[in-house]
Amino acid sequence: MTVLVTGGAGYIGSHMVLALKDAGRPVVVLDDLSCGFAWLVPDDVPFVQGDIGDQALVRDMIRRHNVTAILHFAGSIVVPDSVRDPLSYYRNNTVQSRSLMEAAIAEGIRHFIFSSTAAIYGEPERTPISEDMPHQPISPYGTSKLMTEWMLRDAAVAHPEFNYVALRYFNVAGADPQLRSGQSFPRATHLIKIASQAATGERSHIEVYGTDYPTADGTCIRDYIHVSDLAQAHLCALNYLEAGGASTAANCGYGYGYSVLDIIDAVKRVSGVDFEVRTAPRRAGDPAVLVAGNERVRTVFGFEPKRADLDLIVGDALAWERQLAIRKALEQSEARIAV
């Protein structure tokens, strides 16, 4: 009854591994470490460095560890990068996911949970966004994820024993309250991560991309969900599938949003640091408002968030940044000693 977590050394994947361990579920991790870190995987969790597109490797892992479910987090996630280099996103997010699905179905995997995104909705007609609203992504990132959802849908029709849930994330933020994991990729583009880096001195300033959106303060509005709550939503979805639930997709968010300036103000307030903020042009692929309609994830899966508070999310993110700074200082000290 082992769960295979792809991308389990990354930000969201590592929190999923912790949630599974905390729930007493056996887990194994596959990650190529392109954006993840092996030290985020607990020592007692089997870890394989490799590619999800390596079908021989994936099938061997499924057999050796008696895997019955796959939670798929591996992929590329930066919207502007997808606009600059769309083909790499279609390879990493779509082609590789197809290979993973094929290996899973060949090995008799019955349950599959996919890390999807609110970016599949593009510029929504209204908010909050419900799952049945038009899927019209405006970035290759969103399209690459939507194409994977289509493949899952069609595979489930062709293979009735195979069921799936696609969880469409809104903006994920925060860190494990016990500081066992957090957003660690230095080039991460998450707003709360970047603002926390400015507050802790890792960055000299923060840039606001676009101040002329049709919102109250002219900046984009997003629905921010704590990463630990998101991991719990996956557990609820897994329990749903294992109980015989039908394949479906669901939004993951809290149902209300904050503007970019709201977030910056919150980070300044919680940290007590007044860092520099600069304005910059809009980025391609950024909708004005994305707020989740979350009735389905609550009613169908029984998900109830525990950390739906902006100051709590920001506080956890700041605590993780401070811990990362200590870790970096220790590594640099050890490197000097080694020389």
Side-chain angles (χ1 to χ4, degrees):
M1 300 292 288
T2 301
V3 178
L4 169 60
V5 178
T6 70
Y11 175 40
I12 302 173
S14 63
H15 285 82
M16 189 70 244
V17 171
L18 294 173
L20 288 163
K21 271 180 55 65
D22 290 346
R25 298 291 301 260
V27 58
V28 59
V29 169
L30 174 62
D31 198 302
D32 67 1
L33 298 184
S34 58
C35 297
F37 301 88
W39 53 266
L40 287 176
V41 180
D43 292 339
D44 58 348
V45 171
F47 167 68
V48 175
Q49 183 175 351
D51 196 316
I52 62 169
D54 185 341
Q55 291 192 345
L57 173 63
V58 171
R59 296 184 67 169
D60 180 65
M61 289 184 68
I62 291 171
R63 294 170 188 165
R64 283 193 294 113
H65 295 280
N66 190 28
V67 171
T68 57
I70 294 177
L71 274 63
H72 177 31
F73 298 90
S76 303
I77 64 169
V78 181
V79 171
D81 285 355
S82 78
V83 175
R84 287 191 296 269
D85 188 9
L87 295 183
S88 72
Y89 272 67
Y90 291 124
R91 179 186 66 241
N92 294 342
N93 292 351
T94 310
V95 175
Q96 298 288 68
S97 292
R98 192 214 68 85
S99 294
L100 178 66
M101 282 181 229
E102 186 174 55
I105 291 170
E107 291 298 325
I109 295 297
R110 297 177 58 85
H111 311 306
F112 194 104
I113 297 179
F114 173 55
S115 169
S116 192
T117 174
I120 71 164
Y121 297 111
E123 292 277 7
E125 300 170 348
R126 64 185 185 277
T127 59
I129 302 167
S130 63
E131 288 85 357
D132 58 358
M133 285 176 64
H135 303 155
Q136 299 173 329
I138 60 174
S139 68
Y141 166 65
T143 304
S144 71
K145 291 286 191 173
L146 181 58
M147 291 170 70
T148 302
E149 286 200 27
W150 288 343
M151 290 190 293
L152 283 166
R153 177 199 62 195
D154 294 343
V157 171
H159 304 277
E161 72 284 356
F162 177 77
N163 62 355
Y164 74 91
V165 167
L167 292 179
R168 297 167 182 165
Y169 309 165
F170 282 63
N171 279 47
V172 188
D176 173 54
Q178 300 177 49
L179 297 183
R180 296 172 294 177
S181 185
Q183 175 55 270
S184 304
F185 192 56
R187 293 189 291 108
T189 59
H190 301 66
L191 175 59
I192 291 180
K193 165 78 171 181
I194 292 171
S196 296
Q197 288 178 325
T200 56
E202 182 71 16
R203 291 176 181 261
S204 61
H205 65 280
I206 183 171
E207 292 183 323
V208 175
Y209 295 100
T211 57
D212 59 346
Y213 285 94
T215 61
D217 64 17
T219 64
C220 291
I221 293 174
R222 296 291 184 265
D223 188 334
Y224 292 85
I225 181 171
H226 194 290
V227 64
S228 294
D229 275 345
L230 182 62
Q232 288 302 314
H234 284 75
L235 271 182
C236 292
L238 180 58
N239 292 337
Y240 162 84
L241 288 179
E242 292 178 336
S247 297
T248 190
N251 294 333
C252 286
Y254 291 148
Y256 49 84
Y258 296 96
S259 73
V260 172
L261 296 184
D262 287 336
I263 296 299
I264 291 172
D265 287 344
V267 175
K268 288 184 176 183
R269 180 179 65 252
V270 174
S271 68
V273 178
D274 185 14
F275 49 84
E276 181 183 357
V277 179
R278 302 175 185 174
T279 58
R282 292 187 184 191
R283 297 181 303 186
D286 275 348
V289 181
L290 290 175
V291 175
N294 62 3
E295 181 178 355
R296 184 177 296 178
V297 73
R298 287 177 175 269
T299 59
V300 176
F301 303 148
F303 167 64
E304 288 296 333
K306 299 294 191 298
R307 303 187 73 77
D309 179 87
L310 181 57
D311 284 9
L312 196 63
I313 294 171
V314 168
D316 288 341
L318 284 165
W320 180 253
E321 285 306 313
R322 294 182 182 115
Q323 178 160 297
L324 278 182
I326 294 171
R327 181 183 182 89
K328 182 178 179 180
L330 288 172
E331 289 175 347
Q332 290 174 342
S333 177
E334 291 171 355
R336 285 194 296 268
I337 292 171
V339 172

